[in-house]
Amino acid sequence: MAQVRGYPPDEVEYRGPAAPLQDVWVAVRTSLRNVLDHTTVADIATGRLPPVVRKLTANDEDWVVVPR
């Protein structure tokens, strides 16, 4: 689901100060999986989203788009 330049995050290497960036990409992929693995179409249709989704969207700050 989450790719970096067409590669899975665990296959992309960064060197030097950027090395922790691989961990960030793996965490992004894990977050996507966590949401998608626990959410069904029925959840969406009924409006009863799983706790993982409610938790990730509970804070007003989660809805703010950070300017580029």
Side-chain angles (χ1 to χ4, degrees):
M1 167 94 14
Q3 295 189 349
V4 181
R5 291 180 271 140
Y7 294 96
D10 52 299
E11 292 181 14
V12 178
E13 279 190 43
Y14 295 92
R15 298 178 196 277
L21 191 51
Q22 183 182 33
D23 291 338
V24 172
W25 286 119
V26 170
V28 167
R29 179 180 64 185
T30 300
S31 294
L32 283 170
R33 282 182 180 165
N34 198 23
V35 169
L36 297 176
D37 286 350
H38 293 95
T39 306
T40 66
V41 173
D43 295 331
I44 296 166
T46 62
R48 288 182 285 214
L49 297 174
V52 66
V53 174
R54 291 195 315 267
K55 181 179 179 184
L56 289 170
T57 59
N59 297 318
D60 290 341
E61 295 163 0
D62 298 328
W63 294 89
V64 176
V65 176
V66 178
R68 295 180 190 217

